[in-house]
């Protein structure tokens, strides 16, 4: 009786689940110890185990690759794609039942994920400005442009970027697996059909005749590929005769040459196995001679670089093809084999360039291609083919075993590791900035400090960070050699020039017109700062921070003045003062005044009882020898007329001892003058008719 079972299926409701796996910066390998990866993979394994043990359907699996936005669009696109592929290869062994649909999605720079995190985190510095910028990036079609990553780095001096880089970017370096499956097992519906049959027993006599078997002679060959040898890729192979004009051959090549100083790498190892069919008159007369055709399979990995762009095989490349050749005997036990083949090589390889002491990944490309086998015409040596008699077979077996042990030992010893590529260049180092305020005693701490890092190899690529309250903190910088300048950023009215160069960075003052229409400069605000000529940020161990200590000092002079001997001060409606022979610029990296520069500074004053008093900051007096310092006082009376009083105060300016260009100076001026009530009725001095006084100011923000 034969029993047939016929089953049907009943659909079930769908259930969804997902797991998220995190990656290290610029990496595609899965670390189960990173964040919650271990628990997530354990949970996914339990889900798959339950599905495998029950009769269920997996409707769809979606693998989503992602990357944090600090890299370029091309890099992040490739990185997210590779992470999704690696994640699928990692989880696919857990799935033992068919999957109806599989979908891959590569998000590249995950700006949407970042904006979601910022909206949920009220501690993000300058949160509203960050949200506006991120919303703008998300709305644009070219959101993967490196320009937007730079905009985020420069926003508010880099403080928001440093926070996002530390607390949110690690969560964006992830890939997700979404699985949709039936919530209930499928109930089979079985029908049974009974078929009646008859059993038949047959009894037969069998006579076995054993015919004599002709023993075939044992043949083998040891060979090398002369074309590979010529290009410094040594190889060795063995070939065994199978009888009836069939043979099987195995070959292994190995070259692992390098010159780190010149960035020259000539590396390749791999092997192939080939099944050959021999034919023709020579093949009958002598083994391994005459015409032959074959089918081969090959595995190979490589790393080629000659001082520029390099090509690194991604693990193993696999290939196969057909070959035709002719083996010509040139001696009793020596042949030359000419072979031409065509085959298919599949796999992928990575392009990279040497940069800043690293091997920086550029792109990963697929390499399925049809190619001439092993580079075209191959010249090989077939050494010592022989036919062995019975008494020689024991020695032959020993030789074969030795050859096999040698080949497998060589394979094991030559399984070299490729160089590690840099997927997220440049490498960032953690820097802890500390401000030492012990040299500032006569002034309150500023509103905040700005620190500018100049890379020694490219000063145009500066990194700028602001530290509110003059308190230090940690920032992230690419590994490099830097020079550093710091100064207080609460300097309204200051003009910064040459900020793209460490040596040319200059604090300058704005030009204005004096009441008598002369070109002058406004006085600078209070300024402090420091500079460091060399900061090395290289090879910093992970988890540690390099300390950069800055000690700000006072960088301006404080001038005060008093004017005595004036009468009729109650008639003064407005007043200004100026001092010539002063410097209007300061070099920040040298804390020095530029040579050959002399300017007049315009500043305010006030009437106090029977005096005019005032104070201002200045970088110091001009370094020009013999340049006089003339104090000029502009007085406007209520009728609108102006008087100008002058006095040389060079002795008072130069007699005060200063440290470098910095010091406190008090000027005392005495005039015998009465402010007139009407135009042209004064005493000493002269009158000038002018319009209302206006300053023309242009702010340049660093």
């Amino acid at each position: 009786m034969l029993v047939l079972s016929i089953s049907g299926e009943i659909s079930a409701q769908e259930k969804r689940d997902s797991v998220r796996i995190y990656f290290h910066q610029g990496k595609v390998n899965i670390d189960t110890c990173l964040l919650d990866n271990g628990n997530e993979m354990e949970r996914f394994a339990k889900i798959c185990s339950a599905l495998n043990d029950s009769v269920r359907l997996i409707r769809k699996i979606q693998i989503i690759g992602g990357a944090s936005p600090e890299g370029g669009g091309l890099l992040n696109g490739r990185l997210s794609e590779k992470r999704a592929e690696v994640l699928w290869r990692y989880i696919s062994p857990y799935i033992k039942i068919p999957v109806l649909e599989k979908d891959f999605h590569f998000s590249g720079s995950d700006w949407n994920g970042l904006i979601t995190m910022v909206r949920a985190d009220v501690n993000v510095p300058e949160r509203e400005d960050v949200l506006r910028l991120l919303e703008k990036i998300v709305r644009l079609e070219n959101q993967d442009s490196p320009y937007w990553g730079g905009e985020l780095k420069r926003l508010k001096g880099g403080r928001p970027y440093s926070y996002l880089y530390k607390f949110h970017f690690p969560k964006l370096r992830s890939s997700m697996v979404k699985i949709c499956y039936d919530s209930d097992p499928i109930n089979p519906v079985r029908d049974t059909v009974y078929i009646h049959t008859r059993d038949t027993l047959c009894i037969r006599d069998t006579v076995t005749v054993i015919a004599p078997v002709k023993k075939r002679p044992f043949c083998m060959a040891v060979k090398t590929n002369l074309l590979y040898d010529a290009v410094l890729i040594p190889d060795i192979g063995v070939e065994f005769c199978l009888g009836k004009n069939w043979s099987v051959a195995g070959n292994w090549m190995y070259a692992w040459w390098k010159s780190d100083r010149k960035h020259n790498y000539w590396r390749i190892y791999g092997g192939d196995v080939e099944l050959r069919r021999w034919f023709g008159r020579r093949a009958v007369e002598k083994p391994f001679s005459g015409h032959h055709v074959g089918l081969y399979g090959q595995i190979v990995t490589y790393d080629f670089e000659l001082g520029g762009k390099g090509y690194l095989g991604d693990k193993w490349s696999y290939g196969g093809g057909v070959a035709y050749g002719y083996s010509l005997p040139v001696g009793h036990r020596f042949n030359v084999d000419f072979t031409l083949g065509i085959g298919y090589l599949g796999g992928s390889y990575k392009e990279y360039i040497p940069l800043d002491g690293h091997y920086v990944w550029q792109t990963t490309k697929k390499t399925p291609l049809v190619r001439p086998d092993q580079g075209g015409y191959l010249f090989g040596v077939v050494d010592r083919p022989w036919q062995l008699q019975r008494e020689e077979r024991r020695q032959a077996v020993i030789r074969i075993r030795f050859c096999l042990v040698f080949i497998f030992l060589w394979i094991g010893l030559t399984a070299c590791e490729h160089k590690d590529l840099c997927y997220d260049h440049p490498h960032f180092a953690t820097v802890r900035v500390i401000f030492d305020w012990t040299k500032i005693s006569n002034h309150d701490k500023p509103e905040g400090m700005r620190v500018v890092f100049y890379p020694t190899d490219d000063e145009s690529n500066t990194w700028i960070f602001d530290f509110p309250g003059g308190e230090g903190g940690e920032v992230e910088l690419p590994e490099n050699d830097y020079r550093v300048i710091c100064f207080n950023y609460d300097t309204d009215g200051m003009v910064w020039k040459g900020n793209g160069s460490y040596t040319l960075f200059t604090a300058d003052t704005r030009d204005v017109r004096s009441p008598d229409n002369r070109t002058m400069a406004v006085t600078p605000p209070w300024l402090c700062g420091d500079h460091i000529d060399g900061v090395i940020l290289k090879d910093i161990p992970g988890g540690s921070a390099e300390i950069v200590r800055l000690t700000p000092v006072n960088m301006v002079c404080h001038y005060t003045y008093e004017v005595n001997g004036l009468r009729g001060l109650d008639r003064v409606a407005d007043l200004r003062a100026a001092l010539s022979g002063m410097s209007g610029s300061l070099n920040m990296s040298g804390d020095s005044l530029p040579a050959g520069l002399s300017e007049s500074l315009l500043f305010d004053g006030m009437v106090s009882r029977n005096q005019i008093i005032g104070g201002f900051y200045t970088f110091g007096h001009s370094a020009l020898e013999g340049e006089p310092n003339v104090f000029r006082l502009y007085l406007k009376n209520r009728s609108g007329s102006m008087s100008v009083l002058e006095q040389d105060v060079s002795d008072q300016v130069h007699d005060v001892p200063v440290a470098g260009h910095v010091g406190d100076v008090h000027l005392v001026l005495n005039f015998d003058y009465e402010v007139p009530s009407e135009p042209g009725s004064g005493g000493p001095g002269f009158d000038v008719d002018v319009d209302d006084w206006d300053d023309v100011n242009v702010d340049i923000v660093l």
Side-chain angles (χ1 to χ4, degrees):
M1 181 179 296
L2 179 63
V3 182
L4 302 178
S5 296
I6 305 174
S7 302
E9 296 180 354
I10 300 177
S11 61
Q13 295 182 349
E14 292 183 352
K15 186 176 180 180
R16 302 176 183 271
D17 213 332
S18 65
V19 295
R20 183 179 293 274
I21 301 299
Y22 300 93
F23 295 84
H24 292 284
Q25 183 183 29
K27 302 295 183 182
V28 299
N29 59 296
I30 296 178
D31 184 0
T32 56
C33 297
L34 180 63
L35 298 178
D36 202 35
N37 285 354
N39 293 331
E40 286 289 276
M41 293 306 304
E42 184 178 354
R43 186 169 64 85
F44 183 80
K46 292 180 180 179
I47 295 173
C48 293
S49 179
L51 293 175
N52 297 334
D53 294 339
S54 63
V55 184
R56 302 190 187 188
L57 288 177
I58 296 181
R59 300 288 181 180
K60 182 178 182 180
I61 287 183
Q62 187 179 29
I63 301 94
I64 304 173
S68 53
E70 69 267 27
L74 178 60
L75 172 63
N76 286 336
R78 298 291 188 185
L79 198 59
S80 62
E81 178 181 355
K82 194 64 178 179
R83 285 171 174 173
E85 294 176 354
V86 170
L87 181 57
W88 171 246
R89 290 200 299 267
Y90 192 91
I91 67 170
S92 57
Y94 292 98
I95 304 172
K96 307 296 184 183
I97 57 178
V99 179
L100 297 183
E101 182 182 354
K102 184 175 65 176
D103 178 44
F104 284 84
H105 177 71
F106 317 120
S107 61
S109 303
D110 194 0
W111 293 105
N112 289 297
L114 180 59
I115 198 173
T116 301
M117 294 179 180
V118 173
R119 287 170 176 168
D121 187 0
V122 297
N123 297 319
V124 175
E126 310 294 341
R127 181 166 170 262
E128 296 302 322
D129 293 332
V130 173
L131 284 173
R132 281 193 294 269
L133 178 58
L134 294 180
E135 290 170 352
K136 179 180 180 181
I137 295 173
V138 171
R139 290 195 303 268
L140 298 176
E141 296 182 356
N142 62 339
Q143 60 180 256
D144 284 333
S145 171
Y147 171 78
W148 297 116
E151 283 291 297
L152 183 59
K153 288 181 180 179
R154 292 186 293 270
L155 182 66
K156 299 297 182 179
R159 291 188 300 109
Y161 182 84
S162 298
Y163 182 90
L164 298 175
Y165 184 89
K166 182 177 181 180
F167 294 104
H168 292 307
F169 281 15
K171 300 176 183 178
L172 299 176
R173 305 176 188 125
S174 64
S175 292
M176 178 179 286
V177 179
K178 295 183 178 180
I179 182 170
C180 177
Y181 57 90
D182 290 343
S183 60
D184 299 319
I186 300 173
N187 297 320
V189 180
R190 302 183 182 273
D191 297 325
T192 304
V193 180
Y194 296 90
I195 302 174
H196 295 273
T197 63
R198 293 188 178 187
D199 297 331
T200 302
L201 179 62
C202 298
I203 301 176
R204 296 179 179 175
D205 293 331
T206 304
V207 179
T208 304
V209 179
I210 301 178
V213 179
K214 184 179 180 180
K215 297 182 179 181
R216 67 174 183 267
F218 176 83
C219 300
M220 67 168 289
V222 179
K223 57 185 183 181
T224 185
N225 188 314
L226 293 182
L227 182 60
Y228 284 178
D229 296 339
V231 293
L232 302 180
I233 304 177
D235 83 300
I236 189 172
V238 293
E239 188 170 358
F240 299 94
C241 183
L242 302 179
K244 297 182 179 181
N245 293 335
W246 289 92
S247 67
V248 62
N251 304 281
W252 187 258
M253 69 183 96
Y254 173 75
W256 209 251
W257 321 123
K258 69 173 183 175
S259 175
D260 293 327
R261 183 175 61 85
K262 297 181 179 180
H263 290 288
N264 288 335
Y265 295 88
W266 188 253
R267 295 175 166 181
I268 183 172
Y269 64 85
D272 62 81
V273 177
E274 182 178 3
L275 180 65
R276 286 181 172 182
R277 170 67 175 175
W278 298 83
F279 56 96
R281 179 180 57 84
R282 287 187 177 272
V284 176
E285 296 174 351
K286 186 178 182 181
F288 307 122
S289 300
H291 301 273
H292 60 82
V293 294
L295 296 173
Y296 71 89
Q298 185 181 52
I299 61 171
V300 68
T301 186
Y302 52 88
D303 180 10
F304 298 125
E305 181 198 351
L306 297 177
K309 182 180 290 187
Y311 305 88
L312 177 67
D314 190 4
K315 297 183 178 179
W316 291 102
S317 297
Y318 303 87
V322 296
Y324 166 79
Y326 184 83
S327 181
L328 176 65
V330 295
H332 180 59
R333 294 179 175 179
F334 188 82
N335 289 24
V336 176
D337 187 6
F338 305 88
T339 304
L340 175 66
I342 188 169
Y344 178 91
L345 180 66
S348 62
Y349 67 93
K350 302 171 183 177
E351 292 184 1
Y352 66 88
I353 58 174
L355 184 65
D356 297 335
H358 304 276
Y359 297 99
V360 183
W361 173 87
Q362 299 296 296
T363 183
T364 299
K365 296 182 178 181
K366 300 292 183 181
T367 56
L369 57 93
V370 178
R371 64 180 183 87
D373 178 46
Q374 302 174 348
Y377 286 96
L378 305 180
F379 298 86
V381 178
V382 180
D383 186 21
R384 300 185 64 80
W386 61 81
Q387 295 185 354
L388 303 179
Q389 304 301 321
R390 182 176 299 177
E391 61 273 12
E392 300 176 301
R393 288 184 180 174
R394 185 178 63 84
Q395 296 182 7
V397 171
I398 295 176
R399 293 189 183 100
I400 293 173
R401 290 175 177 175
F402 175 80
C403 291
L404 293 176
V405 170
F406 175 78
I407 291 175
F408 285 112
L409 181 61
W410 191 11
I411 293 174
L413 294 176
T414 59
C416 303
E417 294 290 334
H418 290 311
K419 62 169 69 79
D420 290 330
L421 300 185
C422 176
Y423 287 90
D424 194 9
H425 188 83
H427 294 278
F428 276 78
T430 300
V431 178
R432 182 179 296 115
V433 178
I434 298 176
F435 294 101
D436 182 359
W437 293 102
T438 57
K439 294 188 177 182
I440 301 294
S441 59
N442 57 350
H443 201 282
D444 295 334
K445 289 173 59 177
E447 178 183 329
M449 295 294 293
R450 179 163 297 168
V451 182
V452 185
F453 289 84
Y454 290 91
T456 57
D457 58 354
D458 183 12
E459 288 194 340
S460 63
N461 188 25
T462 58
W463 289 77
I464 304 174
F465 302 94
D466 287 348
F467 297 89
E471 302 293 335
E474 291 188 353
V475 296
E476 302 286 337
L477 283 170
E479 291 188 352
N480 208 337
D481 294 342
Y482 294 89
R483 294 186 289 184
V484 185
I485 293 176
C486 77
F487 55 93
N488 57 305
Y489 58 68
D490 53 345
T491 53
D492 294 338
M494 190 77 76
V495 179
W496 302 103
K497 297 182 179 180
N499 52 4
S501 170
Y502 174 81
T503 57
L504 301 179
F505 190 22
T506 302
D508 209 341
T509 55
R510 302 192 312 263
D511 289 339
V512 295
R513 304 299 294 182
S514 69
D516 55 351
N517 205 30
R518 301 183 186 207
T519 299
M520 296 186 177
V522 299
T523 56
W526 181 75
L527 179 67
C528 68
D530 191 16
H531 64 279
I532 303 176
D533 289 333
V535 175
I536 301 175
L537 301 180
K538 289 183 178 178
D539 301 325
I540 299 175
S544 61
E546 184 72 13
I547 296 177
V548 175
R549 185 179 300 274
L550 296 165
T551 306
V553 297
N554 188 20
M555 304 184 77
V556 291
C557 301
H558 187 209
Y559 275 51
T560 57
Y561 69 91
E562 61 179 86
V563 181
N564 304 304
L566 299 178
R567 301 178 300 278
L569 291 178
D570 57 330
R571 305 174 189 142
V572 175
D574 201 356
L575 64 91
R576 297 287 178 92
L579 182 61
S580 66
M582 308 300 290
S583 178
S585 301
L586 174 69
N587 182 270
M588 298 296 293
S589 60
D591 191 16
S592 60
L593 305 180
L597 180 64
S598 177
E599 294 183 309
S600 295
L601 302 182
L602 186 67
F603 42 88
D604 294 324
M606 61 178 294
V607 176
S608 175
R609 298 183 180 179
N610 59 348
Q611 288 181 316
I612 293 178
I613 60 175
F616 57 93
Y617 291 108
T618 176
F619 298 128
H621 59 78
S622 173
L624 288 176
E625 186 175 352
E627 185 72 14
N629 301 111
V630 178
F631 187 96
R632 185 177 285 104
L633 183 64
Y634 301 93
L635 301 176
K636 182 188 289 185
N637 63 14
R638 298 180 186 214
S639 64
S641 66
M642 184 182 66
S643 302
V644 181
L645 307 178
E646 294 183 350
Q647 186 174 326
D648 193 325
V649 293
S650 302
D651 293 341
Q652 298 185 56
V653 170
H654 291 273
D655 288 347
V656 176
V658 296
H661 66 95
V662 178
D664 294 337
V665 178
H666 182 68
L667 303 177
V668 179
L669 298 101
N670 295 294
F671 293 100
D672 183 13
Y673 180 74
E674 182 175 356
V675 180
S677 58
E678 300 293 337
S681 60
F686 56 92
D687 299 330
V688 181
D689 292 328
V690 297
D691 298 328
D692 291 336
W693 300 354
D694 293 318
D695 292 341
V696 179
N697 303 326
V698 179
D699 293 334
I700 302 177
V701 181
L702 179 63

